[in-house]
Amino acid sequence: MLTKADDFPIHQTPEPIAYAGTDRNFYDRYFFNGYQPDGTEFFAIAFGVYPQLNVADAHFSVIRDGIEHCLHASKVMNMERLDLSCGPISIEVIEPLQKLKVTLAPSNGFAAEIVFEGRSFPIEEPRFMRRIGPRAFMDYTRLTQNVRCTGWIEVDGVRKELAAGTVGTRDRSWGIRPVGAPDPQPPVPMTVSGFFWQWTPLNFADRSIFFHVNADPDGRPWNTRAVIAPDGAGPDAFHESEGATMDEVSLIAGTRHARTGTLNVPLAQGSASIRFEPFLTFLMRGIGYGAPAWRHGGYKGELVVEREDIDLGAVDMASPENVHIQALSHVTLTLPGEAPVKGMGVFEQLIAGPYRPYGV
């Protein structure tokens, strides 16, 4: 049951706010992405608080002309959960569950102001729960919402307005994940031998389509669902499917990234088919996911802000820090008895360890 309070980083357990807990790995995070309608520019933001570590961090990243420009910030949060700023990056909740604003004050060649407005009510994904022996490796809840984006981004003196039709996705997740310094004594025996994740929030002219799957190394899903949300839909107007599958996936040689794929979503009148054509790769380490020097929740000091520029044409996409990606994709939706419809969205992928259905 999502409520307006869930759009603020004040959770204390993977449950809604009425419940409290004390796990060291508790986190509460905002995520945003967006892309120009012609696909020439992609941007993403992450903002996380880690109450038991007393640390907050934020990241802003934009791809321009083949370079992923990144700004990272970390601070001691002094136990203040409602200070939604970290260095130059700040978030304003204008209308909970509907409209939020990200501001990047001038810093290290960056500045930005972006408003994210929901296309429908957020979906609440099934609670994610995974243990390593006796310990919770993951236990969290996430709301996800496709958005329309307005505003501008400036990098090194070049300011670009977001074109009409710029869309994207934002989410809010809270609960338990590995954060901060690695555990010096993990539980034994080690029972998690791999991690497989796909997430595909897609924007079409009149609807949003969401799919995710977590699976074990043999391909058995342990958390998955697909949702179709018409524009303006409330929580009772979504079509949900538990049987959706990502099929016909072929990997780019030498990597763990998909060249193509087809999502099949069962419907009462047949099946919806969505074909993916990835064309731009965003490295999630640009906003802290798997970043060697900017691990989420890592202690950097009282306040540290750093810039990083990643040449996407020069990096080794097979390196471990580059395995987690969001591939901006052209997508084609085919419904029974209807003409195909074009859209755009991301194909997020993370394959760590073996995944036998893909031969890795």
Side-chain angles (χ1 to χ4, degrees):
M1 177 62 191
L2 297 175
T3 64
K4 292 180 180 179
D6 287 310
D7 235 344
F8 295 89
I10 55 177
H11 298 91
Q12 298 182 81
T13 77
E15 301 287 354
I17 294 160
Y19 307 94
T22 58
D23 194 289
R24 177 260 190 206
N25 280 337
F26 192 84
Y27 80 99
D28 212 331
R29 180 174 301 140
Y30 295 87
F31 166 84
F32 306 83
N33 73 17
Y35 30 92
Q36 300 272 30
D38 63 1
T40 58
E41 197 160 293
F42 181 97
F43 55 91
I45 301 112
F47 187 110
V49 300
Y50 314 93
Q52 301 295 331
L53 303 178
N54 204 25
V55 167
D57 51 32
H59 310 264
F60 185 101
S61 186
V62 58
I63 295 177
R64 282 189 180 174
D65 301 320
I67 305 297
E68 188 170 325
H69 302 283
C70 315
L71 191 68
H72 309 288
S74 175
K75 72 172 185 178
V76 174
M77 61 183 288
N78 294 312
M79 301 176 68
E80 179 51 70
R81 301 285 292 274
L82 286 181
D83 179 5
L84 301 184
S85 65
C86 185
I89 302 170
S90 62
I91 295 174
E92 178 186 356
V93 181
I94 299 172
E95 182 182 345
L97 302 182
Q98 179 60 26
K99 183 186 292 188
L100 291 86
K101 180 180 180 180
V102 174
T103 300
L104 173 51
S107 176
N108 291 268
F110 288 84
E113 188 174 284
I114 306 171
V115 173
F116 300 84
E117 186 160 7
R119 299 187 58 181
S120 65
F121 194 82
I123 68 167
E124 181 181 348
E125 295 176 355
R127 182 167 167 179
F128 293 79
M129 179 67 198
R130 194 72 166 169
R131 293 187 181 276
I132 299 179
R135 188 178 304 175
F137 169 65
M138 285 186 164
D139 186 4
Y140 69 91
T141 291
R142 178 166 57 212
L143 66 84
T144 300
Q145 182 179 46
N146 275 0
V147 291
R148 295 183 176 91
C149 310
T150 55
W152 53 269
I153 299 172
E154 181 177 310
V155 181
D156 295 332
V158 179
R159 178 177 295 196
K160 293 186 179 181
E161 297 287 333
L162 301 184
T166 297
V167 292
T169 303
R170 69 122 184 166
D171 74 38
R172 288 276 297 109
S173 65
W174 59 90
I176 297 164
R177 289 184 185 179
V179 297
D183 191 339
Q185 185 177 335
V188 291
M190 182 65 70
T191 58
V192 174
S193 58
F195 187 82
F196 177 87
W197 168 247
Q198 293 176 339
W199 187 59
T200 65
L202 308 176
N203 280 282
F204 294 90
D206 61 349
R207 75 197 81 181
S208 299
I209 297 180
F210 306 92
F211 168 75
H212 75 269
V213 59
N214 273 127
D216 68 18
D218 289 318
R220 292 184 291 264
W222 56 267
N223 193 306
T224 185
R225 189 176 62 170
V227 176
I228 300 176
D231 270 14
D236 298 325
F238 300 154
H239 170 84
E240 300 184 16
S241 174
E242 300 290 346
T245 56
M246 182 65 74
D247 303 316
E248 302 173 16
V249 173
S250 63
L251 300 183
I252 298 170
T255 77
R256 293 174 177 237
H257 304 154
R259 184 190 311 278
T260 57
T262 300
L263 175 63
N264 291 297
V265 182
L267 302 172
Q269 68 272 32
S271 181
S273 174
I274 302 102
R275 184 65 176 170
F276 286 74
E277 301 174 54
F279 65 92
L280 183 149
T281 299
F282 175 79
L283 301 179
M284 290 292 280
R285 70 179 171 98
I287 52 172
Y289 291 82
W294 280 92
R295 180 185 178 94
H296 285 154
Y299 173 67
K300 307 291 285 186
E302 186 68 27
L303 175 63
V304 177
V305 180
E306 290 182 359
R307 176 171 175 166
E308 178 184 18
D309 294 292
I310 306 169
D311 184 346
L312 295 173
V315 299
D316 179 2
M317 290 295 181
S319 293
E321 69 272 17
N322 299 326
V323 169
H324 191 181
I325 67 166
Q326 288 195 342
L328 186 59
S329 304
H330 295 297
V331 288
T332 304
L333 168 64
T334 303
L335 293 166
E338 298 184 20
V341 177
K342 300 290 186 180
M344 196 179 297
V346 300
F347 187 177
E348 182 172 331
Q349 306 159 52
L350 173 57
I351 309 175
Y355 189 66
R356 283 175 272 280
Y358 291 175
V360 297

